Amino acid sequence: MNISKQKGTKDIYSDDILIWQFIEENIRKIAKKFNVGEIRTPVFEATELYMRGVGDETDIVSKEMYTFLDKGDRSITLRPELTAGVVRSYIENGMNSLPQPLKLWYIGNMYRYEKMQKGRYREFAQFGTEIFGSASYLADAETILVSSTLLKEIGLSDDIVLSINSIGCSECRKKYIGILREYLKPRIDNMCDSCKVRYNKNILRIIDCKEEKCNHELKDAPYITDNLCDDCKEDFSNLQNVLTNLKVEYVIDKKIVRGLDYYNKTVYEYISKDLGIAVGGGGRYDGLVSTLGGPNTPAVGFALGMDRLVLLLKEKNILEKIKNNVDIYFALFGDTAHLIGNNLMQTLRNEKNIYVIDGDISNKSPKAQLKYASSKNAKFVCIIGQDEIDKNICIIKNMETGIQENINLNSENIIKYIDNN
Ligand SMILES: [Zn+2]
Ligand SMILES: [Zn+2]
């Protein structure tokens, strides 16, 4: 019987893993540059954390979570997102007593029982950053800068649009919800079933409903962005000034409200021009730390979907640039050649740690070894057999030009030859 992988999961290897590593390396590099520290939290948490932290009326909590009772009868949930877990950890470990603002980044797998789409899996990975302890728009801007720097570094900034919006504070939102409710009252009967439920439970989310008939009813709907209080208005315009000053391109999209309940003020999304879907987003969530039992702490963060970034990079033929090509392949024939060859390979690896070095470990025929070397895009092949050992030489073949040369059999000569060619 063959056992296959679960629906919505994937194995990552070969060319794909190179793209993942490429993004991950850039994440680590950029996080370090911005002085953001890494945090790793558990893959499963108490179900209660997400009920309270994400909101039990959201699609994530009401429909998509992997929740089960463990053998001790505790209700456990595989994390459907990472912010709630990071906030739980912030509170539990008393991180508010560390110097603030505290900047943390994470990468990890998350789990949602979702309908499958392009670039969407049930086990998926996100990279995110959270900043705790700053109520300033400068912290909002910093999260945008970290994420947009990553997109630029991996070569995706031309393919992705940053859309920003403000959904106000609890005060202007309360006022706006009243206005929106009045506007929708005579129209809600013509709208989709989800919107009918949202009307009573999560009315803001009606604004970004994708249904045709809802769009039609929403044509003249008031936007929260046009109903902000003076403080929120100033905050939003300050943020825009910072972004403009930093030459971060953005558009204002009044329809962005984000799917999660905990956001306030700044919200943003990165939309792929090609796929027309969000590859990530973020926003401010000043109420979440206290909602989860911690001290009142302003916070802002974002998450980018790794799977979608990988998908976009794949379509850009990034592999040519990042493929791990072999610099020197050692084609070895016979036991003595293997002993000498192994020694040379180790010396070269130690002395020239930028070289990628590979060599025969299965006693293949000469033809098979050269074929393997060429499949690994080896630049040079160093051939050593008994004849070469007897003459104290090796043959170096430039795989691109086909030119072969005999050189003295020692590591210094090989390094000199490779460096000069
Ligand atoms: Zn406000
Ligand atoms: Zn709808």
Side-chain angles (χ1 to χ4, degrees), residues 106-134:
Y106 61 76
I107 187 169
N109 282 355
M110 276 148 251
Y111 303 85
R112 292 184 199 171
Y113 196 82
E114 285 196 280
K115 284 201 198 89
M116 309 285 292
Q117 288 177 16
K118 206 175 182 194
R120 178 181 279 176
Y121 298 88
R122 290 181 177 170
E123 181 185 60
F124 59 99
Q126 286 185 346
F127 155 59
T129 294
E130 318 286 359
I131 301 181
F132 295 97
S134 169

Side-chain angles (χ1 to χ4, degrees), residues 5 10 17 28 34 36 39 109 132 141 160 176-177 184 210 232-233 239 281 291 297 309 319 402 407-408:
K5 63 180 183 299
K10 63 193 169 307
I17 198 73
R28 291 196 163 79
F34 279 85
V36 185
I39 182 166
N109 282 355
F132 295 97
I160 287 169
Y176 168 70
I177 285 173
L184 289 172
K210 306 281 186 284
C232 290
K233 227 184 271 176
L239 172 70
T291 298
T297 309
L309 297 181
L319 276 168
I407 65 169
N408 279 345

